[in-house]
Amino acid sequence: MKTLVTYMSQSGNTKKVAEAIYGELAGEKEIKALSEVKSLEGYDLAFIGFPVLQFDIPPKVKEFLSGNTKGKDIAIFMTHAVPEGFEAIHSWTGSARQTAADANFLGTFDCQGELAQPVIDMLLKAEDPQMKAFGEMGPSTKGQPDESRLQKAREFARDIQAKQK
Ligand SMILES: Cc1cc2nc3c(=O)[nH]c(=O)nc-3n(C[C@H](O)[C@H](O)[C@H](O)COP(=O)(O)O)c2cc1C
């Protein structure tokens, strides 16, 4: 039984969640950036993580999910700036499920991740009022994912592994 935790992370939030998941896993395991993963060959289970970017899954992640997950046991984790429970999160997890439609989908985890300051600055200057409003939300994301979120990620890791046995 070999488990892979792989992630895309630009400002480190998703990486923190990846490390929390990885730390909790029993058995043989590896953690790698998604850019280093050629295929899921040789893994019995893969946790695949990414940040939500521009109201969607990053294109590179979509490409990976659609090309590599057929018949595989996978679980998804993602970070986003909006608070947990925000309506659009369903469409993001739905999009991941749809993209990996041929995988054996074991579950998803999502939590808030701090919006990086350069991104806040850029959004606050945007013409689009939706983007501006998004930038104004920035300070409320500070420090995320915090320890309580990382704890939930650890629980998620345990639950997924238990499902697989
Ligand atoms: C270019 C860009 C676009 C983003 N778009 C969204 C978005 O549409 N919805 C959202 O909730 N968060 C959005 N975010 C926030 C990130 O998803 C969030 O900060 C995430 O935790 C970053 O993860 P990372 O540190 O692993 O890169 C965006 C961030 C960037 C840089």
Side-chain angles (χ1 to χ4, degrees), residues 9-14 51-52 54-55 79-82 113-115 134:
S9 185
Q10 294 175 333
S11 52
N13 301 332
T14 314
V52 173
Q54 283 156 348
F55 306 100
T79 66
H80 43 73
V82 296
E114 180 171 325
L115 205 49
F134 202 54

Side-chain angles (χ1 to χ4, degrees), residues 55-115:
F55 306 100
D56 208 350
I57 300 178
K60 282 220 163 89
V61 175
K62 265 196 183 161
E63 206 177 293
F64 185 85
L65 288 176
S66 63
N68 294 284
T69 57
K70 191 173 177 191
K72 291 283 176 185
D73 283 356
I74 66 162
I76 293 293
F77 58 101
M78 65 184 186
T79 66
H80 43 73
V82 296
E84 291 95 359
F86 191 84
E87 181 80 31
I89 295 168
H90 294 297
S91 72
W92 301 331
T93 48
S95 175
R97 276 179 184 270
Q98 217 174 345
T99 312
D102 297 328
N104 179 28
F105 214 99
L106 297 176
T108 61
F109 173 82
D110 72 276
C111 73
Q112 198 173 38
E114 180 171 325
L115 205 49

